[in-house]
Amino acid sequence: MHLYKSTTFFCILVFLLSRQVNAQNSSSTGIMALDEIWTITESQNRQLKLSDLSRKEGLLSVLEARDKLLPELSVAGDAKLNSKFLIYDKGLFSSPEDVPVSGYGYSLGYSFNMNLFNGGRDRRNIRIKQEEDARRQYEYDLQKNNTKYAVAAAYYDLYKFLQFKDFILAEITSEKKQLSTIQNLHKNGVVLKSDVLRTSVKLSQLELNYSDVEKKIALDKQRLNMLMGRSEDIPLDIPYRDSISIKQIAGAGFGDYLSIALRESPQYKIVHSNIKLSELNVKQVEAARLPRFSAYSNYNYTYPQISFYPYSNDLWGFGQTGIKMQFPIDNLYKSRHSIARARVNTDQQKESALIKRDEISLQVKEAYLQLQQAAENVETAKKNMIQSSEAVRVIRNSYMNQESLLTDLLDAENMLLETKFNLTAALVNLKLNHLRLLAITGIL
C-alpha cells in the first residue's frame, strides 16, 4: 500500500512538471494565434489605453456633474484693524464726530445655499455628461475594432510571407537538385551549357526573393509587437502552417450585414449620440429663460458692532434664512439667437446621421462585394494550382526525355510557384475581407 501511494505521488509530480515544462517551452517559442494576440492587444495597445483613459475621464465628469446637486456650504472668518470711526454729520468739510470703536475687529460665520429650481439645468447637465460618456464608449469600441483589424492585417500579412518563405525554400531545394541533374546531363553532352546557366540564374533569383521575404517577415513581426504594446525585439511566431479556416465566411447576405451595422456600428452610434447631445443642449439653452429658486441661510458673529446704529464695542450675531428667486428678464430677448443656433446644430446632426447611414451602407456593400470577389479568386487560384502542378509534371518528364526545352520547364515551374503565391494571397485576402466586413458592422 505504501508503495502504491509513492508511485501515485511520483506520477502526479512528473505530470505537473511536464505540463510546466511544456508551458515554458510554448511561451519561450512565442507562438501565438490571432485570438491570443487580440487579447494582449486589448489590454496593452497604447491607442486603446489612451481611449480607455478617455472613458475614465468621462465617468469622472458624470460624478463631477452630480456633485453640483449638493448644496453649497462655507465657513468664513477674518481679523482686521479698524481706523477711526468718523461721522460727518454736518458735511464733509465740517469737523467730524469721532465715534469710539475698537481698534481691531474679527468675524466668524457660515453661508449655506441650496438650489431648488433652475430650469433643470443641473440634472440635464448630468444627462449630457452621461451621453458624452456613452459616446466615449462608442469611440473606444470603434478604436478597438480598427485596432483589431489592423492586428489581423499584420497577422495575415506575416502568415502570407511565412508561407511564401516555405514555398521559396522548397523551390530552392528542388532547383538545387534539378541544377545538379542538369549539370550531370551537360557533362554527358545531353544538354547545352545554356541550360545550366539558365537554371543557375533562376536559383540566384529565388535566393534574392527569399532574402526579400525574410525582411518583410521581420517588419511584420515588429508591427505586431508594437500593436500589442510590446518591445519590438521580443520573439514572435504564429502557427502559419495551419490552413486558413473559411467555413464561417459564407454566411449572411448584404441585408443582414447592413441591419447589423445599423444596430451595432460604433460609427452610427456616435452620430446618434451627437443628436441626443444637441437636443439636450437646446433644452439647456431654453432653460436660461426660466426663473431660479434657491434656499439660503447665513449667520455671522462680528466684533465690534458697527453695522447698525447704535454702535457698540460688543460682540454681536446676526443671520438670515429664506428663499431667493432670480428671474433674468434680459434672457427673454438675449437668448433668442442662442436657441436658434442650438436648433440649427440639432438639424445638422440629424443630417449627419443620414449621411453616415448612407456611408455605412456603401461601406457594407463594398466590403460584401469584395468578399464575394475574394471567394471567387480563391476558387480560381485552386484550379490554377492544380493545372500548373500537372503542367510541371508533364513538362519535366518531357524535358528529361529531350522532348521539350528547359525554358518551357522553367516557365512552368515559375508559374506553379506563382499559383502557390496567388492561392495563399487569395485565402488571406478572403479572410481579411471578412474581418473588414465584421469591423464595419461593429461585431469584430
Side-chain angles (χ1 to χ4, degrees), residues 124-129 131 273-286 346:
R124 195 175 295 111
N125 186 52
I126 295 175
R127 291 170 58 193
I128 290 174
K129 296 301 181 182
E131 191 60 42
S273 179
N274 290 336
I275 293 176
K276 292 179 182 178
L277 285 171
S278 61
E279 291 173 345
L280 289 170
N281 187 55
V282 171
K283 295 179 180 179
Q284 198 77 326
V285 175
E286 290 176 341
T346 300

Side-chain angles (χ1 to χ4, degrees), residues 278-279 281-282 285 337-347:
S278 61
E279 291 173 345
N281 187 55
V282 171
V285 175
H337 298 106
S338 298
I339 294 173
R341 186 170 67 87
R343 289 173 177 169
V344 169
N345 181 259
T346 300
D347 294 337

Side-chain angles (χ1 to χ4, degrees), residues 101-115:
V101 295
S102 173
Y104 66 94
Y106 59 86
S107 66
L108 178 66
Y110 76 90
S111 175
F112 174 85
N113 187 74
M114 183 175 67
N115 173 53

Side-chain angles (χ1 to χ4, degrees), residues 370-384:
Q370 288 178 349
L371 180 64
Q372 289 183 321
Q373 184 63 44
E376 295 174 7
N377 291 342
V378 169
E379 296 302 320
T380 301
K382 288 180 179 179
K383 294 177 183 178
N384 290 341

